[in-house]
Every structure is written in C-alpha cells, then in structure tokens.
C-alpha cells in the first residue's frame, strides 16, 4: 500500500519529511508482511505451549511464566528501542531488533525440539524456555515501536489512524492464521510448526532489509529525552493500557467462562473458547479495515470503539449459549479494532518528528503492562463471579469513552513545565 512521503507537506513538525533528499514512495507492504508473519509465529508458540509444557513435565504456572516473561521484556525495553530509533534511525534499529528476534526465536524453537527429544530435567527446560522467550520478547519490542514511528515519519497526521489500522489488520490475519496453521501442522508432528514458524521471521527480516527506506531523519543530539511523564502522552498511555488490559482479561477467562457459565464439558468448552478467540481476530481485521473508510479522527474512533467494545463485553453478562459468547467477543474485538490504531495515531500526532520513536515505544510499553496485569487481575476477579471480569472491562471502557478531551499540550508548553 504505497502512500506518499510527507516531504511536500508543510504542516506540523511531526509530519515533516524524514529527509530532504528525493526518495522513492514509502510503502506499507513490508511492514504489513512483517506484522503478519511475526504475529503468526508468536501466536503459534502460545497455542503450543500447553502441550509442550505437559510433555516436558512443566507445571501450568511455569508455562504461563514462559509466556509472560516476553511481555515483561517488552515493557522494559520498548521505550529504549524507540528512543534509539530517534537517535540512530528507524532502519538500523528495526533491522537489529528483528534480527535479534529471529536468532532468539530460532534458538527457542531449537531448544524446545531438543528438550522434547532428550527430556532434560524440568528446571533446565523451564530455565531455557524463560530465558529464550524473554530474549525474543526483548528484541521484538523494537519492531512495533520503530515500525509505528516509521509510519508516523511518512504518513500525514490525518491519515495515520488508517495507516496504523492497516498494520493492525495484518497482525489480525497472523493472529487468526497462527493457531489454524499450528493445528494443521501439529497433526504431523509437534516439532513441525516450531520449525516452520522459526523460518517466517527470517523471511520478514529479508523483506525489510530489501525495502525499508534508507534515507531518514535523526533527532538532534542536543534534544533531551522524551519523559514518560510528558503530559502529551498521558491520554495515549492510559488508553493503550486499558485497551490491552481489557483484551488480555477477555482472552484468559474465556475458557473458564465456557466451562462454568455455559456449562459445557471440557472438549466443548475448549472448542467454544477457540472459536471465540478466532472471532476476535476476525473482528479486529474487519474493524481496522473499516477505519480507512470512516475517516474519523483518532479521538472519535477511540470513543466509539470503547463504547462498542463495552457493549460487546457487557452483553456477556447475559450470555448462556456459545453463540452469545461469540457475538459478544465479535463486538468487543470490533471496538478494539478502532482503538488500537487510533491510540498510536493520537500519540504520534501529539509530538514532534524527533520524538516519534520514543513515543511509539512508550505506548508499546503501556500495551505490554496491560498484557502483564490483565491475566492476573482477570483470574483474580473471576473467582468472585464468572461474569465479573466482563463487568470490570465494560465499566473501564465506558470510563475511557467518557473521558473528556482537552486541548492538546504543545511542545513549548511541555518545555515550560519542565
């Protein structure tokens, strides 16, 4: 999806062209491919971790830790990667981050294959999974942050929500395809999906190395670092956290809800939960494609998306059949499909061109924090009542939708406050 570079746009500093030298038209396609295949690989790992843990003798909490550590590394490093891309350029940081992920993910898959064949002590299997998953998450934290900053460099402010939604739709395709591809391949061998999904990120690295822009803007060395307390980032950070917090709660409790509220047996509950999560991917894809047609501002999309998602999750308070569960998840995902790209655009539009990487990294860190706390809070609240997590999510999203908008804070005002 080629979009014109903003070199001809005289608008705000955040819309300034990354270079005065003539460059070829910026294309979203390399980033879309990377988002799709890397999400596919990561979702495949999540789908496989349960059977892998069982075969290696790991406890459920150990399997959960192996997944969670990736989100923790994401939170700790996303801002650093984003700020580094402001200073050293998007291309080198994006390639280094993805390159590190390719190596670490390949080592992770190789270690799992080795462990399945040799059955090492449980402590060694657990340590290997946590270490390699954490390293992979730490390197991959560079990719979404730097990719979002790259889009902000080349896409004018009014078009950023649509551009971010395009990347989100590509991730949604990977989210849906990952478990499906895994299910097909695992019928032949548990190792086969690991080996194949280890190759896909390497293909994405080759694509980005070939087609990423080589001419770009760097931040002035005298420019101070963007503070996490910057008032321009308060709303984007809060919305990003609430959105990911809500989604991860819905993901972690759906299987329990199908068992306890819908009164399904284990097999039927697993099937209902799997379809619900697949519906989430479909809803995200359709909603993010619709962003391109609506032409709404990021703030309007956030309000409408939170309201729609709250309605979907609130409907689950009355759900008594799998179809009601799937309909609620479809509405909830559709609303989030408007929120996720809009919050990235909202943040990008609030800062200058030299701050885009640090800003995208900050929003990504807020997402990561929501990924860590969501499952913990969701399972604790679920003990009160099976519908309690959905009530919590619905109320939280309504509050975000009703959050009054204020005049944007300028960079000059931020410097005065500092």
């Amino acid at each position: 999806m080629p979009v014109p570079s903003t070199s001809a746009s005289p608008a705000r500093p955040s819309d300034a062209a990354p270079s005065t030298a003539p460059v070829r038209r910026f294309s979203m396609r390399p980033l879309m491919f990377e988002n799709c295949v890397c999400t596919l690989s990561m979702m495949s790992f999540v789908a496989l971790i349960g059977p892998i843990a069982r075969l290696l003798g790991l406890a459920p909490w150990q399997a959960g830790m192996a997944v969670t550590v990736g989100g923790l590394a994401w939170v700790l490093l996303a801002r650093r990667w984003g700020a580094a891309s402001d200073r050293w350029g998007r291309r080198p940081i994006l390639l280094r981050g993805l390159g590190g992920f390719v190596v670490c993910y390949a080592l992770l898959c190789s270690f799992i294959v080795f462990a399945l064949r040799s059955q090492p002590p449980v402590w060694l299997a657990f340590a290997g999974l946590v270490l390699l998953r954490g390293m992979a998450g730490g390197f991959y934290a560079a990719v979404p942050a730097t990719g979002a900053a790259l889009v902000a460099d080349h896409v004018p402010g009014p078009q950023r929500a649509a551009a971010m939604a395009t990347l989100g739709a590509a991730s949604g395709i990977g989210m849906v395809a990952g478990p499906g591809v895994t299910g097909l391949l695992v019928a032949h061998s548990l190792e086969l999906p690991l080996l194949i999904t280890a190759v896909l990120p390497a293909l994405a690295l080759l694509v980005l190395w070939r087609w990423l822009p080589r001419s770009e803007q760097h931040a002035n060395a005298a420019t101070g670092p963007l503070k996490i307390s910057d008032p321009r980032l308060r709303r984007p950070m809060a919305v990003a956290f609430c959105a990911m917090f809500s989604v991860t709660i819905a993901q972690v409790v759906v299987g329990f809800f199908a068992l306890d509220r819908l009164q399904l047996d284990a097999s039927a509950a697993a099937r209902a939960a799997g379809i619900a999560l697949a519906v989430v991917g479909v809803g995200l894809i359709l909603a993010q494609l619709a962003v391109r047609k609506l032409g709404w501002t990021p703030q309007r999309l956030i309000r409408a998306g939170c309201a729609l998602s709250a309605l979907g999750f609130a409907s689950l308070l009355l759900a008594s059949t799998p179809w009601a569960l799937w309909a609620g998840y479809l509405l909830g995902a559709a609303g989030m499909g408007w929120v996720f790209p809009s919050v990235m655009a909202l943040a990008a539009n609030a800062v200058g061109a030299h701050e885009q990487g640090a800003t995208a990294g900050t929003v990504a860190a807020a997402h990561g924090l929501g990924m860590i706390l969501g499952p913990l809070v969701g399972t604790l609240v679920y003990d009160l009542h099976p519908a309690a997590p959905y009530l919590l999510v619905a109320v939280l999203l309504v509050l975000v939708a009703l959050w009054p908008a204020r005049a944007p804070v300028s960079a000059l005002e931020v410097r005065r406050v500092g």
Side-chain angles (χ1 to χ4, degrees):
M1 176 176 304
V3 295
S5 173
T6 58
S7 54
S9 175
R12 330 165 23 149
S14 57
D15 297 334
S19 173
T20 56
V23 294
R24 62 184 177 184
R25 288 163 63 87
F26 173 69
S27 174
M28 296 281 292
R29 292 191 182 98
L31 291 176
M32 291 170 62
F33 178 76
E34 173 273 318
N35 274 28
C36 180
V37 300
C38 288
T39 302
L40 187 154
S41 296
M42 289 187 288
M43 289 302 296
S44 296
F45 175 82
V46 172
L48 289 171
I49 189 62
I52 289 171
R54 183 61 55 86
L55 291 174
L56 295 179
L58 300 179
W61 72 266
Q62 291 175 311
M65 179 64 71
V67 175
T68 302
V69 70
L72 180 60
W74 190 312
V75 171
L76 295 176
L77 295 176
R79 266 181 58 84
R80 293 181 179 274
W81 282 114
S85 77
D86 286 333
R87 183 61 53 87
W88 305 108
R90 313 297 182 212
R91 178 184 172 89
I93 297 303
L94 186 51
L95 292 180
R96 289 175 190 175
L98 184 55
F101 173 74
V102 167
V103 172
C104 293
Y105 189 76
L107 289 175
L108 173 63
C109 293
S110 300
F111 176 79
I112 293 173
V113 171
F114 162 77
L116 291 174
R117 293 181 179 181
S118 63
Q119 291 295 310
V122 171
W123 70 266
L124 179 59
F126 175 60
L129 285 176
V130 169
L131 176 63
L132 293 172
R133 172 71 176 178
M135 291 174 61
F139 276 107
Y140 193 74
V143 179
T146 309
L150 183 63
V151 171
D153 287 344
H154 290 271
V155 179
Q159 301 173 20
R160 283 177 182 155
M164 299 295 184
T166 302
L167 294 182
S171 294
I173 293 173
M175 184 184 300
V176 174
V181 170
T182 300
L184 292 175
L185 296 177
V186 79
H188 301 279
S189 164
L190 191 60
E191 299 174 2
L192 184 60
L194 291 170
L195 297 174
I196 290 181
T197 56
V199 173
L200 293 178
L203 295 177
L205 179 61
L206 291 175
V207 168
L208 292 187
W209 178 82
R210 173 64 179 83
W211 278 287
L212 275 183
R214 297 176 183 273
S215 178
E216 52 190 354
Q217 171 176 302
H218 298 255
N220 191 315
T223 303
L226 182 72
K227 296 181 179 179
I228 198 169
S229 59
D230 192 306
R232 295 171 295 172
L233 301 183
R234 289 172 186 166
R235 180 182 291 269
M237 287 178 63
V239 175
F241 170 79
C242 291
M244 188 60 75
F245 179 79
S246 301
V247 167
T248 51
I249 285 179
Q251 288 176 331
V252 77
V253 303
V254 62
F256 299 108
F257 185 83
L259 285 168
D260 300 330
R261 181 64 177 267
L262 304 186
Q263 297 294 305
L264 301 177
D265 59 40
S267 177
R271 184 165 55 253
I275 294 175
L277 295 178
V279 163
V280 167
V282 173
L284 287 172
I285 294 169
L286 296 178
Q288 290 178 120
L289 291 176
V291 169
R292 299 186 56 82
K293 304 294 183 181
L294 292 173
W296 292 353
T297 64
Q299 185 58 54
R300 185 179 180 185
L301 285 167
I302 289 171
R303 290 189 187 281
C306 285
L308 179 62
S309 191
L311 177 63
F313 290 123
S315 71
L316 297 173
L317 301 178
L318 306 176
S320 59
T321 66
W323 284 100
L325 174 69
W326 301 333
Y329 269 69
L330 180 63
L331 283 179
M336 289 295 100
W338 288 353
V339 173
F340 281 122
S342 301
V343 73
M344 296 300 297
L346 186 69
N349 292 347
V351 301
H354 64 286
E355 301 168 307
Q356 291 295 340
T359 297
T362 301
V363 174
H367 279 147
L369 185 60
M371 291 171 61
I372 293 172
L373 295 182
L376 175 62
V377 174
T379 50
L380 290 175
V381 173
Y382 185 87
D383 286 338
L384 302 177
H385 191 276
Y390 299 114
L391 177 61
L392 171 64
V393 167
V395 171
L396 180 62
L397 293 176
V398 167
L399 292 176
V400 174
L402 297 178
W403 188 359
R406 298 178 180 176
V409 182
S410 69
L412 178 59
E413 291 171 325
V414 171
R415 286 194 292 270
R416 287 174 178 169
V417 172

